Amino acid sequence: MASLLPSKRLLLLLFVIALLVLSGDAATKKKKVKKSKAKKVKAVTPAPSAGGMSLTFYNNKCSSFAKTVSDEVAAAMKKDPTIAAGLLRMHFHDCWVRGCDASVLLSGPNSERQAGPNLSLRGFQVIDTIKSKLERSCRGVVSCADILTQATRDAVVKAGGPSWDVPLGRKDGRVSSAAEVQLPAPSESTNSLISKFNAKQLSVSDLVALSGAHSFGFGNCGFFQSRITSRDPTLNSTYAQELQRKCQTSASVANDPITQNTLDNQYYKNLQQRKGLFTSDEGLFFHPQTKPLVDTFASNPVAFAQQFRASMAKLITLPPFQSNTGGIRTVCSIAK
């Protein structure tokens, strides 16, 4: 080919330079777009949990928390397998009144601990032992409320029940009043129980599932004696005679005589046979809103475990979920 003329060479050179400039602009724009997109992705972060609570709250603040609680619960249950039911009952009584703030642990002449329904609570020593050990390793960090909540979950699991997530970071309450203890009673009708649970934003399913806590533990004879003497038609007559004999030599009997130290669905099978200990128990089998759930849980242990897990997750977040006026007690029975 013939050589290009100088003017044509100049035009070709300018054309090449223009192409290089355009390519550079395009690359710069792509980089800007990528940076913009990166900024947008970075800005989308998970919202923090309510009240600053989280499942990993103590991971950096007190790494021994989970193991200490688990080990002490296991040791307590080895000495006394019934303590698991005691912890669950105490935890429920605590959460029902002021949320799960450990106000039930406070001692005093007019505290929750002195209210009638709470005089028979058990498990205080377990919580005190855990607190004492954690104060030595993580002084002033772990709340009594978190200890009670975590210990209850661990105890239920070790007793054969389901597990549930426990958000941590609770504060300990400063107020505890016996006058505020208005718990569901063993003699209450199902309609009354439904109303009380609804007032706490708990459903009929929550009522029936949480009543399954009576699958283990003990019941005071005084709370069901009237069912025996009045020949309550909802109480199995043979079982009534058995209860009467036991109550002549003991102040309490097992809630579930078949699997008394295991949290399982045997409780609902007992209700189907009219062997519920309290009026509040057996009534669940005769009420149109609760009977279908009793039948389902009796025949399907997985369904019971799933609902119990979900209901406990709701119970531990009853308001106030986090108290801004609370603190971390050094001793769980003293409000300071």
Side-chain angles (χ1 to χ4, degrees):
M1 292 181 63
S3 60
L4 293 173
L5 296 173
S7 59
K8 289 184 177 181
R9 286 179 182 175
L10 179 61
L11 288 173
L12 180 60
L13 179 61
L14 291 173
F15 179 74
V16 170
I17 292 172
L19 284 176
L20 290 173
V21 170
L22 288 173
S23 297
D25 288 343
T28 303
K29 286 180 180 179
K30 284 183 179 180
K31 287 181 180 179
K32 287 182 178 179
V33 169
K34 286 182 179 179
K35 286 182 179 180
S36 177
K37 287 182 178 179
K39 288 180 180 179
K40 288 180 180 178
V41 171
K42 189 176 180 181
V44 180
T45 55
S49 58
M53 299 174 68
S54 73
L55 300 177
T56 59
F57 188 83
Y58 293 116
N59 281 14
N60 296 323
K61 298 179 180 181
C62 185
S63 59
S64 63
F65 169 75
K67 188 176 187 305
T68 300
V69 173
S70 180
D71 288 351
E72 289 305 315
V73 168
M77 289 180 65
K78 186 175 181 180
K79 295 178 182 177
D80 178 10
T82 69
I83 202 64
L87 287 170
L88 179 55
R89 181 169 179 250
M90 180 163 62
H91 182 50
F92 179 85
H93 285 211
D94 179 48
C95 296
W96 189 267
V97 177
R98 284 182 162 264
C100 307
D101 67 346
S103 55
V104 75
L105 301 179
L106 289 169
S107 60
N110 297 307
S111 66
E112 292 174 34
R113 199 163 168 171
Q114 299 304 312
N118 291 339
L119 293 176
S120 57
L121 289 181
R122 301 167 58 241
F124 293 101
Q125 186 57 50
V126 178
I127 305 303
D128 288 343
T129 299
I130 296 171
K131 177 62 173 175
S132 178
K133 290 197 171 186
L134 288 174
E135 280 298 302
R136 289 198 292 270
S137 59
C138 314
R139 186 171 180 79
V141 173
V142 181
S143 68
C144 300
D146 276 342
I147 293 173
L148 178 56
T149 306
Q150 181 95 347
T152 298
R153 192 277 309 277
D154 289 358
V156 167
V157 172
K158 295 178 193 302
S163 181
W164 58 91
D165 288 338
V166 177
L168 300 166
R170 290 169 183 75
K171 297 290 182 63
D172 292 326
R174 302 296 195 192
V175 178
S176 183
S177 171
E180 293 182 347
V181 179
Q182 302 295 327
L183 291 156
S187 59
E188 281 195 70
S189 68
T190 303
N191 281 332
S192 178
L193 291 173
I194 290 174
S195 295
K196 282 190 173 182
F197 272 68
N198 284 343
K200 294 287 183 180
Q201 299 176 15
L202 295 171
S203 67
V204 171
S205 295
D206 296 323
L207 163 61
V208 180
L210 292 175
S211 294
H214 287 173
S215 172
F216 61 0
F218 292 85
N220 190 288
C221 291
F223 290 135
F224 59 83
Q225 192 65 47
S226 62
R227 298 188 69 206
I228 299 174
T229 56
S230 66
R231 296 184 179 180
D232 185 343
T234 66
L235 178 62
N236 182 295
S237 59
T238 302
Y239 187 50
Q241 293 173 6
E242 181 184 335
L243 291 174
Q244 190 166 27
R245 285 195 300 272
K246 289 181 177 179
C247 287
Q248 288 175 353
T249 57
S250 177
S252 61
V253 299
N255 285 331
D256 173 12
I258 300 174
T259 58
Q260 65 181 29
N261 292 324
T262 304
L263 195 149
D264 56 20
N265 70 327
Q266 181 61 45
Y267 166 80
Y268 303 100
K269 298 177 183 178
N270 294 343
L271 298 187
Q272 290 177 322
Q273 299 172 36
R274 293 186 295 125
K275 292 183 178 181
L277 202 57
F278 305 123
T279 298
S280 59
D281 291 323
E282 195 57 52
L284 299 176
F285 183 63
F286 290 94
H287 194 282
Q289 286 184 258
T290 54
K291 184 181 186 300
L293 288 165
V294 170
D295 291 336
T296 296
F297 294 160
S299 63
N300 190 337
V302 174
F304 163 61
Q306 289 176 340
Q307 184 58 58
F308 188 85
R309 178 185 297 114
S311 297
M312 285 301 300
K314 288 175 68 175
L315 178 71
I316 64 176
T317 57
L318 287 180
F321 185 40
Q322 170 82 322
S323 174
N324 294 325
T325 59
I328 306 296
R329 297 181 213 147
T330 302
V331 177
C332 290
S333 61
I334 302 175
K336 67 176 183 179

